[in-house]
């Protein structure tokens, strides 16, 4: 598997703990949308999704900003048949955007657990 290009996502997630300003959130959302992220594929090659516990039928796509977070995510699932690939946030959002059950992306769900919701696309430049 190829590795992703280094981005500023991890640093922005760390900053978000101390500063949740709209400017920082918009910068983070831009980074998620434009940069490569790791994704998990099921054993039949489909993108893994996480079903919302709050709204039945709604789902999120888990994405990972670095290899360490990907490994933590795959370890927490505990399924050796899973594989990983690379996609940008833009690519993933374009696949599912017309699906009314798609709620957005969850970045580093095992660690930082930042949610990039479909509604956040309005703030993308």
């Amino acid at each position: 598997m190829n590795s992703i290009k280094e981005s500023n996502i991890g640093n922005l997630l760390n900053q978000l703990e101390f500063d949740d300003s709209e400017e920082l959130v918009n910068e983070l959302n831009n980074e998620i949308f434009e940069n490569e992220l790791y994704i998990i594929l099921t054993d039949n090659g489909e993108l893994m999704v996480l079903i919302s516990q709050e709204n039945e039928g709604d789902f999120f796509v888990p994405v990972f900003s670095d290899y360490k977070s990907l490994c933590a995510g795959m370890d927490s699932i505990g399924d050796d048949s899973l594989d990983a690939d690379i996609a940008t946030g833009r690519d993933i959002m374009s696949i599912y955007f017309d699906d009314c059950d798609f709620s957005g992306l969850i970045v580093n769900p095992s660690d930082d657990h930042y949610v990039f919701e479909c509604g956040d696309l309005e703030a993308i430049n």
Side-chain angles (χ1 to χ4, degrees):
M1 173 181 51
N2 294 328
S3 60
I4 61 175
K5 299 173 191 168
E6 190 172 326
S7 73
N8 198 28
I9 295 172
N11 291 333
L12 292 171
L13 287 169
N14 289 335
Q15 289 178 28
L16 197 61
E17 292 180 34
F18 307 103
D19 172 15
D20 62 351
S21 68
E22 185 176 337
E23 181 180 329
L24 182 63
V25 170
N26 288 341
E27 183 179 353
L28 176 57
N29 288 344
N30 277 315
E31 287 283 317
I32 293 166
F33 193 68
E34 298 296 338
N35 285 284
E36 293 180 327
L37 302 161
Y38 288 108
I39 54 175
I40 297 178
L41 303 175
T42 63
D43 56 355
N44 60 357
E46 294 180 11
L47 200 56
M48 171 173 274
V49 299
L50 302 174
I51 306 300
S52 172
Q53 294 179 348
E54 295 176 11
N55 298 318
E56 188 174 326
D58 288 359
F59 68 93
F60 294 88
V61 174
V63 297
F64 304 88
S65 63
D66 56 52
Y67 188 73
K68 179 182 172 190
S69 297
L70 170 68
C71 291
M74 291 182 83
D75 287 347
S76 70
I77 297 167
D79 185 343
D80 292 338
S81 68
L82 299 175
D83 199 7
D85 203 353
I86 296 171
T88 66
R90 176 189 307 269
D91 295 337
I92 300 164
M93 296 294 267
S94 68
I95 291 169
Y96 290 109
F97 190 72
D98 290 332
D99 187 327
C100 62
D101 294 328
F102 176 58
S103 296
L105 307 175
I106 297 183
V107 182
N108 301 340
S110 300
D111 302 322
D112 303 306
H113 194 81
Y114 177 79
V115 178
F116 179 95
E117 296 178 341
C118 290
D120 294 332
L121 282 175
E122 295 171 8
I124 299 294
N125 300 333

